[in-house]
Amino acid sequence: VFDPAKTALMMIDFQRDFVYPGGFGESLGNDTSLLMRAIPPAERVLKACREAGMFVIHTREGHRADLSDLPRAKYERGKPTLHIGDMGSMGRLLVRGELGHDIVEELYPIAGEPVVDKPGKGAFYATDLDAILKMKGLERLVFCGVTTEVCVQTTVREANDRGYDAVVLSDCVASYFPEFQRVALEMVKAQGGIFGWVSDSERFLKGLAAATGRATAGATA
């Protein structure tokens, strides 16, 4: 049974560096417009969860200004035109405190919504995310974010190992590669939901409305 009081909305890495042109994602040769498609449905879900009083957590991938937490193996990956820490159009790429590292305005955190800064792909690695969830008595996680096959799926797998139920909203996550998007979602829900479940924003909003008695949850104006 869906209990909003025991569920957190996970907003994974909706950062300018990944979603907007001129950031780290584009430096790898990617078309960022594919990621921007997830913003409108994720915005509707975020709005509805806030109205329902659900706990919301945002994550950001990035590194300290001195790059002391950036492994060589990660720095050298991908053969980008620019590396992590290099100057881009929105500041130093994937460096905490820079404009590009921060979250897009459409999905920006409000007071009371923790932002978990992580140095790796998974949101549980080298962070206090697990402690936050346990302190709040949360058992289920609903995922929006980018990219589906990297930071979202890595965190879903980490969550599964720690005993959390995970639901990925297919239209609220996105990849630079359509085939990766499809296969990553198949991996999550394979074999009866081996890592979690896959739904979409429409079905989630209907379930949230039913659980809270808010018939208009997430309705578009």
Side-chain angles (χ1 to χ4, degrees):
V1 178
F2 175 37
D3 182 358
K6 293 185 177 181
T7 305
L9 176 65
M10 301 291 300
M11 302 291 287
I12 303 293
D13 295 11
F14 276 114
Q15 298 162 250
R16 296 183 182 95
D17 262 339
F18 295 132
V19 176
Y20 287 166
F24 182 70
E26 190 175 72
S27 79
L28 292 167
N30 297 308
D31 177 4
T32 61
S33 69
L34 294 170
L35 266 56
M36 293 182 72
R37 296 175 186 174
I39 292 179
E43 188 175 9
R44 290 192 291 272
V45 167
L46 177 60
K47 179 176 182 289
C49 289
R50 285 170 172 168
E51 290 173 351
M54 267 181 58
F55 193 63
V56 178
I57 301 178
H58 304 260
T59 72
R60 298 181 297 201
E61 181 182 349
H63 297 276
R64 299 175 183 273
D66 63 1
L67 305 183
S68 59
D69 59 350
L70 175 62
R72 177 187 58 79
K74 182 177 182 180
Y75 176 80
E76 294 176 351
R77 288 289 180 270
K79 297 183 179 178
T81 56
L82 295 169
H83 286 278
I84 294 172
D86 289 348
M87 185 62 66
S89 63
M90 295 179 287
R92 296 176 66 203
L93 299 175
L94 289 186
V95 169
R96 297 175 185 177
E98 300 287 338
L99 179 65
H101 173 261
D102 211 356
I103 295 166
V104 299
E105 289 299 326
E106 298 95 324
L107 305 172
Y108 207 77
I110 62 174
E113 295 177 356
V115 178
V116 174
D117 281 317
K118 59 192 183 70
K121 308 297 192 293
F124 287 89
Y125 169 68
T127 75
D128 56 0
L129 175 58
D130 194 43
I132 293 171
L133 295 173
K134 284 184 167 55
M135 290 286 283
K136 290 286 184 179
L138 299 165
E139 300 173 356
R140 297 176 180 85
L141 309 178
V142 177
F143 282 85
C144 302
V146 297
T147 62
T148 310
E149 76 278 10
V150 184
C151 294
V152 173
Q153 198 188 86
T154 301
T155 305
V156 168
R157 289 169 182 251
E158 289 181 328
N160 176 259
D161 281 346
R162 288 163 176 78
Y164 297 100
D165 281 326
V167 178
V168 180
L169 303 183
S170 61
D171 56 334
C172 298
V173 296
S175 170
Y176 299 120
F177 307 96
E179 181 65 4
F180 289 3
Q181 169 83 356
R182 182 187 69 81
V183 173
L185 294 173
E186 289 292 334
M187 287 180 181
V188 170
K189 65 181 181 180
Q191 302 177 75
I194 193 166
F195 294 119
W197 310 105
V198 174
S199 187
D200 57 46
S201 62
E202 183 177 355
R203 285 187 288 174
F204 172 74
L205 291 172
K206 288 179 179 177
L208 181 61
T212 61
R214 295 171 176 266
T216 58
T220 54

